[in-house]
């Protein structure tokens, strides 16, 4: 009888462990928002910057996540590549890769922009770090020929490296009155809220994929 009781207790604890394992063993997902002033939160309090607000929104939805703000105002893809290794520490699970806006504003070679982003993705994947590629569009004043060379960079690299793509970081905010800090480019806190709300499903899918869950 003692052996039977012991086996019953063991079976009970085993059943409980199966039920609680996903929540008890799940780790905090560590994400780095790697980008330029749009990621950094130019002229905003850090609590109003995109990484902080996205982290708060994800936590409100029950996700155990931290998002480190590694945005640097003025960064191009070249300067981002140069600081990649020390900006994305070991132990990072995923990177929100948002670079290229300053390349386009300065009229830099789209081919060089593509090469830099390609290299960044490659180096992150070599470190087993997931990437969510955040797209950008060329400013209209750069002309159609420049846009034809620049705009395909993100969807094509997303397909090449099989990484998820958020097509346009400023979707719903660009050129919308009352959503920027007054310079026509950088979002104010209200603008960041809109960006976060639109980005949130993509971030949730990324975290679920990292945790081995269905993204549905």
């Amino acid at each position: 009888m003692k052996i039977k009781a012991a086996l019953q207790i063991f079976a009970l604890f085993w059943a409980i462990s199966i039920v609680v394992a996903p929540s008890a063993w799940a780790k905090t997902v560590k994400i780095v928002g790697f980008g330029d002033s749009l990621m950094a939160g130019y002229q905003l309090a850090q609590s109003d910057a995109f990484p902080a607000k996205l982290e708060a929104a994800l936590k409100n939805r029950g996700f155990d996540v931290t998002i480190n703000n590694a945005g640097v105002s003025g960064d191009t893809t070249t300067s981002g590549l140069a600081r990649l290794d020390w900006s994305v520490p070991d132990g990072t699970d995923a990177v929100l890769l948002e670079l290229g806006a300053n390349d386009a504003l300065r009229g830099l070679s789209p081919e060089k922009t593509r090469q830099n982003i390609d290299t960044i993705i490659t180096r992150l994947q070599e470190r087993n770090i997931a990437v969510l590629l955040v797209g950008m569009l060329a400013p209209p004043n750069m002309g159609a020929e420049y846009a034809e060379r620049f705009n395909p960079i993100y969807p094509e690299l997303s397909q090449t490296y099989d990484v998820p793509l958020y097509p346009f970081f400023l979707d719903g905010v660009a050129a919308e009155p009352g959503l920027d800090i007054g310079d026509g480019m950088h979002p104010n806190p209200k603008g960041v809220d809109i960006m976060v709300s639109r980005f949130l499903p993509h971030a949730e899918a990324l975290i679920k994929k990292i945790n081995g869950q269905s993204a549905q």
Side-chain angles (χ1 to χ4, degrees):
M1 291 296 293
K2 290 183 178 180
I3 294 176
K4 183 178 180 180
L7 289 174
Q8 289 175 334
I9 293 172
F10 176 80
L12 176 61
F13 276 105
W14 176 254
I16 292 173
S17 70
I18 292 175
V19 173
V20 303
S23 60
W25 296 344
K27 67 172 184 175
T28 300
V29 175
K30 298 178 181 179
I31 299 176
V32 171
F34 185 70
D36 50 37
S37 56
L38 298 176
M39 185 69 70
Y42 180 68
Q43 290 192 3
L44 301 179
Q46 279 301 294
S47 58
D48 285 327
F50 181 84
K53 287 199 167 187
L54 179 61
E55 178 184 303
L58 287 166
K59 286 182 174 178
N60 284 340
R61 293 178 66 84
F63 291 93
D64 185 5
V65 59
T66 63
I67 304 180
N68 181 49
N69 189 341
V72 173
S73 295
D75 251 13
T76 62
T77 57
T78 296
S79 52
L81 175 58
R83 68 180 177 89
L84 177 65
D85 291 339
W86 59 264
S87 293
V88 180
D90 291 341
T92 297
D93 295 300
V95 165
L96 311 179
L97 176 53
E98 177 273 312
L99 283 170
N102 288 315
D103 296 49
L105 287 172
R106 300 176 190 182
L108 303 180
S109 164
E111 291 71 33
K112 182 62 174 177
T113 300
R114 179 190 294 268
Q115 179 184 343
N116 288 335
I117 297 176
D118 186 302
T119 302
I120 291 172
I121 295 173
T122 299
R123 285 169 56 175
L124 289 172
Q125 289 188 333
E126 288 173 348
R127 297 172 60 189
N128 296 315
I129 296 173
V131 176
L132 199 169
L133 184 58
V134 183
M136 185 52 57
L137 298 175
N141 65 304
M142 294 304 298
E145 189 274 336
Y146 187 88
E148 288 173 1
R149 293 161 58 205
F150 183 90
N151 292 349
I153 291 173
Y154 301 90
E156 290 177 0
L157 287 178
S158 170
Q159 184 174 17
T160 297
Y161 288 98
D162 192 25
V163 297
L165 171 69
Y166 186 75
F168 182 41
F169 197 34
L170 292 173
D171 182 40
V173 174
E176 293 293 334
L179 298 180
D180 63 71
I181 61 173
D183 63 358
M185 294 185 292
H186 296 93
N188 59 23
K190 185 178 179 181
V192 174
D193 287 338
I194 293 174
M195 292 167 66
V196 167
S197 67
R198 296 192 177 208
F199 195 90
L200 192 58
H202 298 262
E204 290 182 358
L206 176 69
I207 295 170
K208 289 177 180 179
K209 183 177 181 180
I210 291 171
N211 285 333
Q213 302 171 19
S214 170
Q216 299 298 321

